[in-house]
Amino acid sequence: MRTVVVTGSASGMGAATRARLEADGQRVIGIDQRDADVVVDLGTVDGRAAAIAEVTAMTDAIDGLVTCAGVAGLTDRPGGLLTSVNYFGTVTLLAGLRELLARGDRPAAVGISSNSTTCQPEVPMAVVEHCLAGDEAAARAAGDVAGSVLTYPATKLAIARWIRRHAPTRDWAGAGITLNAVAPGKVDTPLLAETRRDTMIGPLVDAFPVPIGRSGTADELAGVVHFLLGPDARFFCGSVVFVDGGTDAQLRTEDFPAPLARVTTEYR
Ligand code: NAI
């Protein structure tokens, strides 16, 4: 039986992913701040350490890891909180559970990014840089200055870049672990409902073009995550899979794929 750790398992895409995996006969260890096997606050250093320690005490190996835990950018929510929950709550778990993954069977990790990375303007790059430098205090400070509405895509861009930096390295690809990101667009979950209620960002959410004409469902996203965790996705490495009803394709038609600007042959 495969064992998969899912953060943010109490709601939305994390809960849908848990349900899909369990329906498939897989064992899920859910991590969340409520209603989970491991109840912690991933926005804190101690909470992340406790999550890694508890999972390590429960099993010698894991076959999958999905990092769904995250919070939305809202006008009255500090940006620093998003750097801690969304970014550090993701990459600390990826790094901290990597050794358990390396001992798993055809192990796979999937991080949840967002199409706000490419579709939302004015991303504060200082937040991205401090996140990727691993400087949580500086990232929090820059996030507080930018506010959480703009910090949100910065945390998700940093997640995507962390994944692309690490996926093709000895520790991940070289250890037989696939590492990829999913970048959802608008998906009907409690997080989206909360965002819609925000008087500033709410109206903008529904003004966003979605060419297929509707929001996604948590179950549709769980289906993509389930595929990336499974045997048919072993050739995926460092991909950022946009699942957004066509928003990114419509807004950035010619920006991707971009031709190679410089050659990196170094294998770290
Ligand atoms: P959700 O609000 O339904 O689920 C998020 C889960 O994360 C909740 O169970 C919550 O308790 C948990 N969580 C939040 N803060 C936590 C903390 N400090 N410690 C531990 N757990 C914590 O949200 P949804 O929509 O399912 O989001 C899943 C991921 O997808 C998030 O990372 C979100 O940013 C991302 N996303 C969501 C989109 C959407 O339209 N719903 C679009 C793009 C990305």
Side-chain angles (χ1 to χ4, degrees):
M1 183 201 288
R2 288 175 73 75
T3 298
V4 180
V5 173
V6 179
T7 76
S9 59
S11 177
M13 292 180 233
T17 298
R18 170 172 212 147
R20 264 208 187 226
L21 291 167
E22 287 179 342
D24 212 22
Q26 303 191 37
R27 173 192 181 201
V28 172
I29 300 174
I31 303 176
D32 205 299
Q33 57 193 352
R34 61 182 170 84
D35 304 325
D37 307 290
V38 176
V39 176
V40 292
D41 179 358
L42 292 172
T44 67
V45 171
D46 289 349
R48 291 169 216 142
I52 293 164
E54 283 191 47
V55 172
T56 304
M58 291 165 86
T59 180
D60 294 335
I62 59 175
D63 309 302
L65 170 61
V66 188
T67 56
C68 294
V71 287
L74 302 175
T75 39
D76 61 355
R77 180 173 278 164
L81 177 73
L82 272 68
T83 62
S84 290
V85 177
N86 293 6
Y87 179 77
F88 289 98
T90 293
V91 304
T92 308
L93 273 277
L94 287 169
L97 296 175
R98 193 201 65 83
E99 282 184 23
L100 288 187
L101 280 166
R103 292 200 283 273
D105 172 27
R106 289 162 297 158
V110 180
I112 304 299
S113 177
S114 161
N115 79 343
S116 63
T117 51
T118 56
C119 298
Q120 189 176 327
E122 296 180 34
V123 177
M125 291 307 291
V127 175
V128 178
E129 283 154 21
H130 291 311
C131 283
L132 286 166
D135 188 338
E136 188 168 358
R140 282 189 74 105
D144 283 340
V145 170
S148 72
V149 171
L150 294 181
T151 295
Y152 182 81
T155 61
K156 296 297 185 175
L157 181 56
I159 289 170
R161 290 201 174 161
W162 191 97
I163 285 173
R164 285 180 60 78
R165 284 184 184 186
H166 288 80
T169 64
R170 291 185 199 283
D171 277 353
W172 290 86
I177 312 165
T178 65
L179 173 61
N180 296 286
V182 170
K186 249 185 331 192
V187 181
D188 279 324
T189 66
L191 182 147
L192 182 65
E194 184 184 36
T195 310
R196 280 204 173 102
R197 285 194 295 272
D198 186 287
T199 50
M200 201 268 274
I201 185 100
L204 299 176
V205 168
D206 283 320
F208 236 60
V210 184
I212 70 159
R214 64 169 175 85
S215 305
T217 68
D219 198 46
E220 281 176 308
L221 270 294
V224 176
V225 170
H226 183 265
F227 164 74
L228 287 171
L229 292 173
D232 291 330
R234 299 306 299 165
F235 203 46
F236 277 79
C237 175
S239 293
V240 181
V241 183
F242 279 70
V243 186
D244 71 350
T247 305
D248 180 72
Q250 178 172 328
L251 294 183
R252 303 194 317 124
T253 310
E254 309 300 335
D255 290 354
F256 177 84
L260 190 62
R262 72 191 152 78
V263 179
T264 307
T265 51
E266 183 193 1
Y267 182 58
R268 289 167 283 137

